[in-house]
Structure formats: C-alpha cells, structure tokens
PDB file of all heavy atoms in Angstrom:
ATOM      1  N   ALA A   2       0.840  -1.198   0.000  1.00 98.00           N
ATOM      2  CA  ALA A   2       0.000   0.000   0.000  1.00 98.00           C
ATOM      3  C   ALA A   2       0.871   1.242   0.000  1.00 98.00           C
ATOM      4  O   ALA A   2       1.718   1.408   0.883  1.00 98.00           O
ATOM      5  CB  ALA A   2      -0.919  -0.003   1.219  1.00 98.00           C
ATOM      6  N   SER A   3       0.666   2.115  -0.966  1.00 98.00           N
ATOM      7  CA  SER A   3       1.554   3.262  -1.139  1.00 98.00           C
ATOM      8  C   SER A   3       0.830   4.592  -1.203  1.00 98.00           C
ATOM      9  O   SER A   3      -0.240   4.708  -1.808  1.00 98.00           O
ATOM     10  CB  SER A   3       2.371   3.091  -2.429  1.00 98.00           C
ATOM     11  OG  SER A   3       3.083   1.884  -2.416  1.00 98.00           O
ATOM     12  N   THR A   4       1.433   5.580  -0.593  1.00 97.00           N
ATOM     13  CA  THR A   4       1.036   6.972  -0.710  1.00 97.00           C
ATOM     14  C   THR A   4       2.157   7.791  -0.084  1.00 97.00           C
ATOM     15  O   THR A   4       3.184   7.233   0.325  1.00 97.00           O
ATOM     16  CB  THR A   4      -0.311   7.256  -0.028  1.00 97.00           C
ATOM     17  OG1 THR A   4      -0.683   8.627  -0.275  1.00 97.00           O
ATOM     18  CG2 THR A   4      -0.256   7.029   1.469  1.00 97.00           C
ATOM     19  N   PHE A   5       1.999   9.105  -0.014  1.00 97.00           N
ATOM     20  CA  PHE A   5       3.016   9.931   0.640  1.00 97.00           C
ATOM     21  C   PHE A   5       3.061   9.586   2.125  1.00 97.00           C
ATOM     22  O   PHE A   5       2.032   9.257   2.746  1.00 97.00           O
ATOM     23  CB  PHE A   5       2.697  11.408   0.466  1.00 97.00           C
ATOM     24  CG  PHE A   5       2.867  11.930  -0.940  1.00 97.00           C
ATOM     25  CD1 PHE A   5       3.260  11.116  -1.982  1.00 97.00           C
ATOM     26  CD2 PHE A   5       2.610  13.270  -1.219  1.00 97.00           C
ATOM     27  CE1 PHE A   5       3.414  11.603  -3.275  1.00 97.00           C
ATOM     28  CE2 PHE A   5       2.759  13.773  -2.505  1.00 97.00           C
ATOM     29  CZ  PHE A   5       3.160  12.939  -3.533  1.00 97.00           C
ATOM     30  N   ALA A   6       4.229   9.698   2.712  1.00 97.00           N
ATOM     31  CA  ALA A   6       4.421   9.338   4.122  1.00 97.00           C
ATOM     32  C   ALA A   6       3.495  10.107   5.054  1.00 97.00           C
ATOM     33  O   ALA A   6       3.008   9.566   6.043  1.00 97.00           O
ATOM     34  CB  ALA A   6       5.880   9.565   4.527  1.00 97.00           C
ATOM     35  N   VAL A   7       3.229  11.369   4.740  1.00 97.00           N
ATOM     36  CA  VAL A   7       2.379  12.173   5.617  1.00 97.00           C
ATOM     37  C   VAL A   7       0.964  11.613   5.687  1.00 97.00           C
ATOM     38  O   VAL A   7       0.297  11.707   6.724  1.00 97.00           O
ATOM     39  CB  VAL A   7       2.372  13.653   5.166  1.00 97.00           C
ATOM     40  CG1 VAL A   7       1.650  13.836   3.835  1.00 97.00           C
ATOM     41  CG2 VAL A   7       1.778  14.548   6.249  1.00 97.00           C
ATOM     42  N   PHE A   8       0.513  10.997   4.604  1.00 97.00           N
ATOM     43  CA  PHE A   8      -0.817  10.395   4.583  1.00 97.00           C
ATOM     44  C   PHE A   8      -0.786   8.952   5.088  1.00 97.00           C
ATOM     45  O   PHE A   8      -1.713   8.508   5.777  1.00 97.00           O
ATOM     46  CB  PHE A   8      -1.391  10.425   3.168  1.00 97.00           C
ATOM     47  CG  PHE A   8      -1.417  11.784   2.551  1.00 97.00           C
ATOM     48  CD1 PHE A   8      -0.902  12.016   1.280  1.00 97.00           C
ATOM     49  CD2 PHE A   8      -1.945  12.865   3.241  1.00 97.00           C
ATOM     50  CE1 PHE A   8      -0.927  13.276   0.714  1.00 97.00           C
ATOM     51  CE2 PHE A   8      -1.969  14.138   2.678  1.00 97.00           C
ATOM     52  CZ  PHE A   8      -1.456  14.342   1.412  1.00 97.00           C
ATOM     53  N   ALA A   9       0.267   8.237   4.740  1.00 97.00           N
ATOM     54  CA  ALA A   9       0.359   6.828   5.140  1.00 97.00           C
ATOM     55  C   ALA A   9       0.474   6.690   6.652  1.00 97.00           C
ATOM     56  O   ALA A   9      -0.322   5.995   7.288  1.00 97.00           O
ATOM     57  CB  ALA A   9       1.557   6.169   4.453  1.00 97.00           C
ATOM     58  N   ALA A  10       1.466   7.362   7.228  1.00 97.00           N
ATOM     59  CA  ALA A  10       1.707   7.228   8.666  1.00 97.00           C
ATOM     60  C   ALA A  10       0.808   8.128   9.497  1.00 97.00           C
ATOM     61  O   ALA A  10       0.488   7.805  10.638  1.00 97.00           O
ATOM     62  CB  ALA A  10       3.170   7.542   8.975  1.00 97.00           C
ATOM     63  N   GLY A  11       0.393   9.250   8.916  1.00 96.00           N
ATOM     64  CA  GLY A  11      -0.390  10.219   9.671  1.00 96.00           C
ATOM     65  C   GLY A  11      -1.884  10.018   9.558  1.00 96.00           C
ATOM     66  O   GLY A  11      -2.564   9.674  10.529  1.00 96.00           O
ATOM     67  N   ARG A  12      -2.406  10.184   8.376  1.00 96.00           N
ATOM     68  CA  ARG A  12      -3.860  10.114   8.183  1.00 96.00           C
ATOM     69  C   ARG A  12      -4.414   8.720   8.462  1.00 96.00           C
ATOM     70  O   ARG A  12      -5.533   8.565   8.957  1.00 96.00           O
ATOM     71  CB  ARG A  12      -4.207  10.550   6.759  1.00 96.00           C
ATOM     72  CG  ARG A  12      -5.690  10.608   6.467  1.00 96.00           C
ATOM     73  CD  ARG A  12      -5.937  11.261   5.126  1.00 96.00           C
ATOM     74  NE  ARG A  12      -5.571  12.682   5.128  1.00 96.00           N
ATOM     75  CZ  ARG A  12      -5.457  13.415   4.018  1.00 96.00           C
ATOM     76  NH1 ARG A  12      -5.658  12.864   2.837  1.00 96.00           N
ATOM     77  NH2 ARG A  12      -5.122  14.692   4.098  1.00 96.00           N
ATOM     78  N   ALA A  13      -3.628   7.700   8.161  1.00 97.00           N
ATOM     79  CA  ALA A  13      -4.127   6.332   8.310  1.00 97.00           C
ATOM     80  C   ALA A  13      -3.572   5.633   9.550  1.00 97.00           C
ATOM     81  O   ALA A  13      -3.630   4.403   9.652  1.00 97.00           O
ATOM     82  CB  ALA A  13      -3.779   5.520   7.061  1.00 97.00           C
ATOM     83  N   TYR A  14      -3.090   6.394  10.514  1.00 98.00           N
ATOM     84  CA  TYR A  14      -2.459   5.791  11.695  1.00 98.00           C
ATOM     85  C   TYR A  14      -3.411   4.841  12.429  1.00 98.00           C
ATOM     86  O   TYR A  14      -3.026   3.741  12.825  1.00 98.00           O
ATOM     87  CB  TYR A  14      -1.968   6.870  12.653  1.00 98.00           C
ATOM     88  CG  TYR A  14      -1.325   6.309  13.902  1.00 98.00           C
ATOM     89  CD1 TYR A  14      -0.004   5.877  13.883  1.00 98.00           C
ATOM     90  CD2 TYR A  14      -2.037   6.193  15.089  1.00 98.00           C
ATOM     91  CE1 TYR A  14       0.589   5.337  15.011  1.00 98.00           C
ATOM     92  CE2 TYR A  14      -1.452   5.651  16.227  1.00 98.00           C
ATOM     93  CZ  TYR A  14      -0.140   5.227  16.182  1.00 98.00           C
ATOM     94  OH  TYR A  14       0.436   4.696  17.300  1.00 98.00           O
ATOM     95  N   ASP A  15      -4.643   5.257  12.623  1.00 98.00           N
ATOM     96  CA  ASP A  15      -5.594   4.432  13.369  1.00 98.00           C
ATOM     97  C   ASP A  15      -5.808   3.081  12.692  1.00 98.00           C
ATOM     98  O   ASP A  15      -5.861   2.037  13.346  1.00 98.00           O
ATOM     99  CB  ASP A  15      -6.929   5.170  13.508  1.00 98.00           C
ATOM    100  CG  ASP A  15      -7.952   4.370  14.294  1.00 98.00           C
ATOM    101  OD1 ASP A  15      -7.710   4.104  15.480  1.00 98.00           O
ATOM    102  OD2 ASP A  15      -8.994   4.014  13.719  1.00 98.00           O
ATOM    103  N   GLN A  16      -5.919   3.105  11.366  1.00 98.00           N
ATOM    104  CA  GLN A  16      -6.133   1.861  10.631  1.00 98.00           C
ATOM    105  C   GLN A  16      -4.883   0.979  10.673  1.00 98.00           C
ATOM    106  O   GLN A  16      -4.992  -0.253  10.751  1.00 98.00           O
ATOM    107  CB  GLN A  16      -6.518   2.171   9.181  1.00 98.00           C
ATOM    108  CG  GLN A  16      -7.933   2.682   9.001  1.00 98.00           C
ATOM    109  CD  GLN A  16      -8.149   4.082   9.576  1.00 98.00           C
ATOM    110  OE1 GLN A  16      -7.224   4.907   9.597  1.00 98.00           O
ATOM    111  NE2 GLN A  16      -9.360   4.357  10.033  1.00 98.00           N
ATOM    112  N   ILE A  17      -3.709   1.606  10.601  1.00 98.00           N
ATOM    113  CA  ILE A  17      -2.472   0.826  10.700  1.00 98.00           C
ATOM    114  C   ILE A  17      -2.379   0.168  12.072  1.00 98.00           C
ATOM    115  O   ILE A  17      -2.049  -1.008  12.198  1.00 98.00           O
ATOM    116  CB  ILE A  17      -1.240   1.723  10.454  1.00 98.00           C
ATOM    117  CG1 ILE A  17      -1.227   2.217   9.007  1.00 98.00           C
ATOM    118  CG2 ILE A  17       0.050   0.967  10.768  1.00 98.00           C
ATOM    119  CD1 ILE A  17      -0.164   3.261   8.724  1.00 98.00           C
ATOM    120  N   ARG A  18      -2.710   0.935  13.097  1.00 98.00           N
ATOM    121  CA  ARG A  18      -2.610   0.415  14.465  1.00 98.00           C
ATOM    122  C   ARG A  18      -3.596  -0.728  14.714  1.00 98.00           C
ATOM    123  O   ARG A  18      -3.208  -1.809  15.182  1.00 98.00           O
ATOM    124  CB  ARG A  18      -2.870   1.538  15.470  1.00 98.00           C
ATOM    125  CG  ARG A  18      -2.766   1.117  16.928  1.00 98.00           C
ATOM    126  CD  ARG A  18      -3.140   2.260  17.859  1.00 98.00           C
ATOM    127  NE  ARG A  18      -2.880   1.918  19.248  1.00 98.00           N
ATOM    128  CZ  ARG A  18      -3.724   1.271  20.049  1.00 98.00           C
ATOM    129  NH1 ARG A  18      -4.911   0.874  19.574  1.00 98.00           N
ATOM    130  NH2 ARG A  18      -3.395   0.993  21.301  1.00 98.00           N
ATOM    131  N   ASN A  19      -4.865  -0.479  14.420  1.00 98.00           N
ATOM    132  CA  ASN A  19      -5.911  -1.413  14.822  1.00 98.00           C
ATOM    133  C   ASN A  19      -6.271  -2.475  13.785  1.00 98.00           C
ATOM    134  O   ASN A  19      -6.725  -3.568  14.145  1.00 98.00           O
ATOM    135  CB  ASN A  19      -7.171  -0.636  15.214  1.00 98.00           C
ATOM    136  CG  ASN A  19      -6.957   0.183  16.475  1.00 98.00           C
ATOM    137  OD1 ASN A  19      -6.354  -0.294  17.425  1.00 98.00           O
ATOM    138  ND2 ASN A  19      -7.429   1.415  16.481  1.00 98.00           N
ATOM    139  N   SER A  20      -6.088  -2.147  12.511  1.00 98.00           N
ATOM    140  CA  SER A  20      -6.477  -3.103  11.466  1.00 98.00           C
ATOM    141  C   SER A  20      -5.308  -3.885  10.890  1.00 98.00           C
ATOM    142  O   SER A  20      -5.507  -4.919  10.256  1.00 98.00           O
ATOM    143  CB  SER A  20      -7.208  -2.372  10.326  1.00 98.00           C
ATOM    144  OG  SER A  20      -8.395  -1.770  10.798  1.00 98.00           O
ATOM    145  N   VAL A  21      -4.073  -3.381  11.093  1.00 98.00           N
ATOM    146  CA  VAL A  21      -2.898  -4.060  10.538  1.00 98.00           C
ATOM    147  C   VAL A  21      -2.001  -4.619  11.641  1.00 98.00           C
ATOM    148  O   VAL A  21      -1.724  -5.820  11.677  1.00 98.00           O
ATOM    149  CB  VAL A  21      -2.090  -3.108   9.625  1.00 98.00           C
ATOM    150  CG1 VAL A  21      -0.799  -3.792   9.150  1.00 98.00           C
ATOM    151  CG2 VAL A  21      -2.925  -2.687   8.423  1.00 98.00           C
ATOM    152  N   CYS A  22      -1.553  -3.752  12.553  1.00 98.00           N
ATOM    153  CA  CYS A  22      -0.583  -4.199  13.559  1.00 98.00           C
ATOM    154  C   CYS A  22      -1.211  -5.055  14.656  1.00 98.00           C
ATOM    155  O   CYS A  22      -0.622  -6.052  15.085  1.00 98.00           O
ATOM    156  CB  CYS A  22       0.130  -2.997  14.169  1.00 98.00           C
ATOM    157  SG  CYS A  22       1.318  -2.235  13.040  1.00 98.00           S
ATOM    158  N   TYR A  23      -2.374  -4.668  15.136  1.00 98.00           N
ATOM    159  CA  TYR A  23      -3.000  -5.425  16.224  1.00 98.00           C
ATOM    160  C   TYR A  23      -3.253  -6.884  15.823  1.00 98.00           C
ATOM    161  O   TYR A  23      -2.901  -7.818  16.566  1.00 98.00           O
ATOM    162  CB  TYR A  23      -4.297  -4.732  16.668  1.00 98.00           C
ATOM    163  CG  TYR A  23      -4.992  -5.420  17.818  1.00 98.00           C
ATOM    164  CD1 TYR A  23      -4.363  -5.579  19.049  1.00 98.00           C
ATOM    165  CD2 TYR A  23      -6.281  -5.921  17.664  1.00 98.00           C
ATOM    166  CE1 TYR A  23      -5.003  -6.228  20.096  1.00 98.00           C
ATOM    167  CE2 TYR A  23      -6.926  -6.567  18.705  1.00 98.00           C
ATOM    168  CZ  TYR A  23      -6.276  -6.713  19.927  1.00 98.00           C
ATOM    169  OH  TYR A  23      -6.913  -7.356  20.952  1.00 98.00           O
ATOM    170  N   PRO A  24      -3.819  -7.143  14.641  1.00 98.00           N
ATOM    171  CA  PRO A  24      -3.996  -8.541  14.221  1.00 98.00           C
ATOM    172  C   PRO A  24      -2.763  -9.111  13.508  1.00 98.00           C
ATOM    173  O   PRO A  24      -2.784 -10.264  13.059  1.00 98.00           O
ATOM    174  CB  PRO A  24      -5.186  -8.470  13.260  1.00 98.00           C
ATOM    175  CG  PRO A  24      -5.134  -7.103  12.698  1.00 98.00           C
ATOM    176  CD  PRO A  24      -4.568  -6.208  13.761  1.00 98.00           C
ATOM    177  N   LYS A  25      -1.709  -8.304  13.406  1.00 98.00           N
ATOM    178  CA  LYS A  25      -0.446  -8.702  12.763  1.00 98.00           C
ATOM    179  C   LYS A  25      -0.680  -9.235  11.357  1.00 98.00           C
ATOM    180  O   LYS A  25      -0.293 -10.351  11.013  1.00 98.00           O
ATOM    181  CB  LYS A  25       0.303  -9.741  13.606  1.00 98.00           C
ATOM    182  CG  LYS A  25       1.774  -9.877  13.235  1.00 98.00           C
ATOM    183  CD  LYS A  25       2.509 -10.883  14.112  1.00 98.00           C
ATOM    184  CE  LYS A  25       3.954 -11.000  13.696  1.00 98.00           C
ATOM    185  NZ  LYS A  25       4.701 -11.995  14.533  1.00 98.00           N
ATOM    186  N   LEU A  26      -1.294  -8.393  10.530  1.00 98.00           N
ATOM    187  CA  LEU A  26      -1.582  -8.793   9.162  1.00 98.00           C
ATOM    188  C   LEU A  26      -0.430  -8.461   8.223  1.00 98.00           C
ATOM    189  O   LEU A  26       0.369  -7.553   8.475  1.00 98.00           O
ATOM    190  CB  LEU A  26      -2.875  -8.137   8.694  1.00 98.00           C
ATOM    191  CG  LEU A  26      -4.141  -8.622   9.407  1.00 98.00           C
ATOM    192  CD1 LEU A  26      -5.368  -7.881   8.897  1.00 98.00           C
ATOM    193  CD2 LEU A  26      -4.324 -10.126   9.261  1.00 98.00           C
ATOM    194  N   ASN A  27      -0.390  -9.172   7.131  1.00 98.00           N
ATOM    195  CA  ASN A  27       0.746  -9.126   6.215  1.00 98.00           C
ATOM    196  C   ASN A  27       0.614  -7.975   5.204  1.00 98.00           C
ATOM    197  O   ASN A  27       0.491  -8.201   3.996  1.00 98.00           O
ATOM    198  CB  ASN A  27       0.863 -10.460   5.487  1.00 98.00           C
ATOM    199  CG  ASN A  27       2.215 -10.653   4.842  1.00 98.00           C
ATOM    200  OD1 ASN A  27       3.205 -10.042   5.236  1.00 98.00           O
ATOM    201  ND2 ASN A  27       2.258 -11.519   3.849  1.00 98.00           N
ATOM    202  N   VAL A  28       0.650  -6.748   5.715  1.00 98.00           N
ATOM    203  CA  VAL A  28       0.510  -5.552   4.876  1.00 98.00           C
ATOM    204  C   VAL A  28       1.832  -4.792   4.837  1.00 98.00           C
ATOM    205  O   VAL A  28       2.435  -4.526   5.881  1.00 98.00           O
ATOM    206  CB  VAL A  28      -0.601  -4.624   5.410  1.00 98.00           C
ATOM    207  CG1 VAL A  28      -0.700  -3.361   4.567  1.00 98.00           C
ATOM    208  CG2 VAL A  28      -1.936  -5.366   5.429  1.00 98.00           C
ATOM    209  N   LYS A  29       2.261  -4.428   3.639  1.00 98.00           N
ATOM    210  CA  LYS A  29       3.491  -3.659   3.461  1.00 98.00           C
ATOM    211  C   LYS A  29       3.120  -2.214   3.110  1.00 98.00           C
ATOM    212  O   LYS A  29       2.551  -1.949   2.052  1.00 98.00           O
ATOM    213  CB  LYS A  29       4.346  -4.257   2.350  1.00 98.00           C
ATOM    214  CG  LYS A  29       4.451  -5.785   2.369  1.00 98.00           C
ATOM    215  CD  LYS A  29       4.892  -6.350   3.699  1.00 98.00           C
ATOM    216  CE  LYS A  29       4.826  -7.879   3.686  1.00 98.00           C
ATOM    217  NZ  LYS A  29       5.138  -8.462   5.005  1.00 98.00           N
ATOM    218  N   ILE A  30       3.420  -1.300   4.025  1.00 98.00           N
ATOM    219  CA  ILE A  30       3.103   0.107   3.823  1.00 98.00           C
ATOM    220  C   ILE A  30       4.359   0.795   3.306  1.00 98.00           C
ATOM    221  O   ILE A  30       5.349   0.929   4.022  1.00 98.00           O
ATOM    222  CB  ILE A  30       2.614   0.748   5.130  1.00 98.00           C
ATOM    223  CG1 ILE A  30       1.360   0.020   5.627  1.00 98.00           C
ATOM    224  CG2 ILE A  30       2.321   2.240   4.941  1.00 98.00           C
ATOM    225  CD1 ILE A  30       1.119   0.164   7.100  1.00 98.00           C
TER     226      ILE A  30
END
C-alpha cells in the first residue's frame, strides 16, 4: 500500500494500528 508518508503514517495511523498491527496482518506500507 503506497502513498506519501504524511498520509500513510499520519492520516491512516488508526487503521495501521488497529487493522494491521493489532492482528499482525501481512501488509506492506
């Protein structure tokens, strides 16, 4: 999944935390 860092890490932080990292899913940001 690609976009500018400000949007990837910033705008989508909640989804990265709860939808990707918490269930430890195989997503490459």
